[in-house]
Amino acid sequence: MKFFEPSAGRRRDRPRRLRLRSQVLLLQSAVVAVTLATVFGTYAYTNNHRLIREYQLRALAVARTVASEPTVRAGAARFSAANASGGGAAHTPPRDLATQEVRTTAEAARKRTGSLFVVVTDDRGFRLAHPEVAQLGRMVSTDPSRALSGHEVLARDHAHLGDEVVAKVPVYAPGSTTVVVGEANAGVAVSDVHAQLVRVLLGGLGGLVLALLLGIGASALLARRWKRLTFGLEPEELAGLVQEQEAVLHGIGEGVLAVDSGGTVTVINEEARRLLRTDAVPGQRIESLGLTPRVREAAGTPSDGPVMAAVGERALVLSSRSVDRDGRDLGTLLTVQDRTDVESLTRQLDAVQAMSAALRAQRHEFANRLHVISGLVHGGYSAEATDYIDALLGTGPLGSDPPGLDTVQDSSVRAFLAAKAAQARERGVTLVIGEATWAEAPVAAPVDVTTVLGNLVDNAIDAAQDGARDPRRVEVELMTEETTLLITVADTGDGVSDVRRDGRDVFLEGVSTKNHSAVLGGRGIGLALARQIARARGGDVYLAEPGGPPAGGGCRAEPGRPPAGDEYPAGPGGSPAGDDAAGPRRVSGGAVFVARLPGAMEDDR
């Protein structure tokens, strides 16, 4: 499949010559004509030999008939016996030989069969019968030795009557099958053979012309189909398109995958193979490439805009459009762009923006606090000013850090969680650190960790903000097991909807309860990307608890106390749901996601 238009300039600058369609038509017509001429020549040659053989056998039958006549055998025996005494045919006047029964029988046979001649000779080759009286008594013009030796002869000779097809048979003495007393010759003019050949060939010429017309018609149809298949392009234009396509496909930084209307791959470049993790080659079916369902759907169905997809640990942007030429559907063209680095930078930028927004808010609050301190100092309230300053020293630059953040030793993760906590506060959500959190070792894969953790926390903040429970909270727990990092994120939202409570559909690409149009490429990529990153490291991300909305439409808990009732359903033994060895979870009711990332932490041993 070609997706590039030929250069208009190349069309104008090309010297005038026969178009490819005309060349194909003329070439095919010439091939058909030469083939038919060869067949016709072979047919004529074969029929010529067949007719010669047929007329030779006909002459042989006539000669045998004449040679077996009793009058001929008796007359030939009599003249052969007279040769010994000098009174044979050679010494008999032609007019006397013309009245002999031998000649009368031979002439009757010649006229009856339409032969050119019927000749009978004695045992020395002198003519006893001949159509021309003047030739009687003379030696035959061709060698009679083989027939006189008892052999039948089929030949094509040139005699005084012209070119002839002749048969010669021995004439035996009466009552004998071994004593040869003469020969009988019968012949047909070669011109008669040729006349019959012409009639045969004329009969086949109609079929030849019909075959030629059919061949030319088929060539015209072939040329027309060739033009349709090549879209009317000339060979040099096709060569130019191939060069341009190779340069474009392998020179751009995007993946290109073309699929025809039947679902067969027609074009794919190396970048597409790398990004889509496939060894596809043109000619394969799209179903056999091992693509993810989202990529396969995009490759088969044109989309109105870009679509996000996760392949392995990469976040890809897919754009597909239909391709047609002259009203013909040529298939779908899919372009693939790698957005992994952009997604990572975007997440880091989100964290920086969150910290920046928190800092701007704190700047105003800090100015207000300075005014309070100034007023206390100028008013002589030194003790009160000291207490106020001590209280302020308990908060960080972004406000109060989540309790338990000091159990995370990695600075990047701590800063990330602090920024997320500030971002959550701006949205009316409290982010807390789970009591089981303990991560002393530095992070070995900060990008993977922040990508997985960020997606889970962002989803939890959205769920808690939109949920019916109050207060709105998100809990994060980080635990390490040698170099494996375990992440648990819970929220007080309304849980995962009923259609996704099996814990699988929520991780499919494109599945999201949020507004898709608000994000370029659509939503539903975060959880799929997080799971693929975890699985690429040998781990996984799964939905531990689907959660659900409160039965009473929501409740409010007192600050510092775990909410009761439907928001925190009791587990076995009366403890809050989700209790484990590390103590009761302070946040529950909504969805709980767990991620396992092997090799994400450095070995601190």
Side-chain angles (χ1 to χ4, degrees):
M1 179 174 10
K2 307 298 182 185
F3 296 101
F4 308 100
E5 292 292 338
S7 170
R10 186 162 59 239
R11 282 183 177 273
R12 291 192 297 265
D13 298 339
R14 188 179 68 247
R16 296 183 63 84
R17 65 183 67 178
L18 283 176
R19 290 188 173 274
L20 180 61
R21 178 185 180 185
S22 301
Q23 294 180 30
V24 171
L25 177 59
L26 292 177
L27 178 61
Q28 290 292 327
S29 299
V31 170
V32 170
V34 170
T35 302
L36 291 178
T38 303
V39 171
F40 187 74
T42 304
Y43 177 74
Y45 177 82
T46 303
N47 275 277
N48 181 55
H49 281 267
R50 180 183 64 80
L51 288 174
I52 289 176
R53 181 68 176 177
E54 181 180 323
Y55 275 89
Q56 284 176 337
L57 294 176
R58 184 182 302 178
L60 178 62
V62 174
R64 285 175 176 175
T65 300
V66 172
S68 63
E69 290 290 336
T71 56
V72 173
R73 297 176 69 178
R78 186 174 65 256
F79 280 98
S80 295
N83 286 329
S85 59
H91 300 88
T92 303
R95 59 180 178 276
D96 293 339
L97 293 174
T99 59
Q100 297 291 324
E101 291 185 357
V102 174
R103 183 174 184 271
T104 303
T105 303
E107 281 298 295
R110 180 184 69 82
K111 294 177 181 179
R112 185 173 62 253
T113 59
S115 301
L116 176 64
F117 63 86
V118 174
V119 175
V120 180
T121 69
D122 59 14
D123 61 352
R124 295 185 179 180
F126 293 102
R127 296 188 183 98
L128 301 178
H130 192 278
E132 298 179 0
V133 176
Q135 299 296 326
L136 295 175
R138 296 183 179 182
M139 178 66 70
V140 292
S141 56
T142 58
D143 182 18
S145 59
R146 284 186 57 80
L148 293 177
S149 63
H151 299 284
E152 293 182 344
V153 179
L154 298 177
R156 179 176 175 176
D157 296 329
H158 181 75
H160 71 282
L161 292 178
D163 289 335
E164 55 194 25
V165 175
V166 62
K168 303 177 182 180
V169 298
V171 176
Y172 294 100
S176 174
T177 58
T178 58
V179 179
V180 178
V181 294
E183 70 165 346
N185 301 343
V188 180
V190 173
S191 59
D192 292 343
V193 179
H194 288 168
Q196 181 63 25
L197 178 63
V198 169
R199 288 191 292 271
V200 172
L201 295 182
L202 288 177
L205 187 61
L208 179 69
V209 172
L210 178 61
L212 180 61
L213 294 177
L214 291 176
I216 293 176
S219 299
L221 293 177
L222 178 62
R224 183 178 179 181
R225 175 172 173 77
W226 182 271
K227 179 182 179 181
R228 185 170 62 87
L229 291 175
T230 59
F231 303 104
L233 302 180
E234 297 303 308
E236 61 272 17
E237 292 174 333
L238 293 174
L241 286 178
V242 171
Q243 295 173 353
E244 292 175 6
Q245 177 174 298
E246 290 297 315
V248 171
L249 287 180
H250 301 289
I252 62 176
E254 299 180 1
V256 176
L257 172 65
V259 182
D260 65 14
S261 56
T264 301
V265 176
T266 55
V267 175
I268 185 171
N269 63 356
E270 289 299 328
E271 186 67 7
R273 294 188 182 96
R274 183 182 70 86
L275 295 178
L276 298 178
R277 292 187 170 187
T278 179
D279 297 326
V281 295
Q284 286 185 276
R285 297 285 301 175
I286 189 68
E287 297 85 0
S288 65
L289 304 187
L291 303 178
T292 64
R294 192 169 177 85
V295 175
R296 189 165 60 247
E297 179 183 0
T301 306
S303 59
D304 296 332
V307 176
M308 293 292 296
V311 177
E313 68 279 6
R314 295 188 176 275
L316 305 179
V317 178
L318 311 177
S319 298
S320 60
R321 67 181 183 89
S322 60
V323 181
D324 58 77
R325 173 72 183 252
D326 297 334
R328 288 176 54 200
D329 180 15
L330 302 182
T332 305
L333 176 65
L334 178 71
T335 57
V336 185
Q337 295 176 308
D338 189 358
R339 198 178 170 182
T340 306
D341 295 337
V342 176
E343 283 291 311
S344 177
L345 292 175
T346 300
R347 189 155 300 282
Q348 296 178 36
L349 180 59
D350 288 342
V352 172
Q353 288 176 339
M355 287 188 287
S356 176
L359 286 173
R360 285 195 299 268
Q362 287 300 106
R363 182 171 62 86
H364 295 288
E365 184 179 354
F366 186 68
N368 294 331
R369 291 173 179 179
L370 286 180
H371 285 298
V372 173
I373 294 173
S374 177
L376 291 174
V377 171
H378 284 86
Y381 302 104
S382 300
E384 289 82 353
T386 300
D387 294 339
Y388 187 72
I389 292 174
D390 290 339
L392 291 179
L393 291 176
T395 62
L398 299 179
S400 300
D401 288 336
L405 187 60
D406 56 345
T407 59
V408 179
Q409 298 300 313
D410 187 86
S411 58
S412 64
V413 177
R414 289 185 63 177
F416 184 77
L417 289 175
K420 287 297 178 184
Q423 182 181 2
R425 282 197 299 273
E426 291 292 325
R427 299 173 61 180
V429 179
T430 301
L431 187 145
V432 297
I433 304 299
E435 295 181 358
T437 296
W438 186 257
E440 287 186 320
V443 173
V447 174
D448 288 353
V449 171
T450 54
T451 299
V452 174
L453 180 58
N455 277 304
L456 296 180
V457 171
D458 287 345
N459 287 343
I461 292 174
D462 290 340
Q465 181 185 18
D466 298 336
R469 290 183 176 88
D470 194 17
R472 296 174 173 83
R473 293 184 179 183
V474 171
E475 180 185 36
V476 177
E477 279 187 356
L478 302 177
M479 293 180 289
T480 58
E481 184 181 76
E482 296 181 350
T483 61
T484 298
L485 176 63
L486 299 175
I487 302 173
T488 303
V489 178
D491 60 70
T492 59
D494 293 339
V496 180
S497 60
D498 293 338
V499 292
R500 302 185 182 94
R501 285 185 179 271
D502 58 2
R504 292 176 296 174
D505 291 348
V506 72
F507 292 100
L508 292 179
E509 297 169 279
V511 174
S512 177
T513 58
K514 304 171 187 177
N515 183 9
H516 283 257
S517 62
V519 176
L520 180 63
R523 294 186 180 271
I525 193 67
L527 287 177
L529 180 60
R531 168 172 275 188
Q532 292 188 22
I533 291 176
R535 289 183 173 178
R537 305 188 66 87
D540 201 355
V541 177
Y542 59 92
L543 178 63
E545 298 178 15
C555 60
R556 182 177 298 274
E558 297 180 7
R561 295 182 55 191
D566 183 76
E567 182 178 0
Y568 295 92
S575 62
D579 287 2
D580 51 31
R585 182 181 293 119
R586 292 173 295 173
V587 173
S588 64
V592 179
F593 285 89
V594 177
R596 181 174 177 272
L597 302 177
M601 309 299 291
E602 294 183 1
D603 191 352
D604 58 350
R605 291 179 297 176

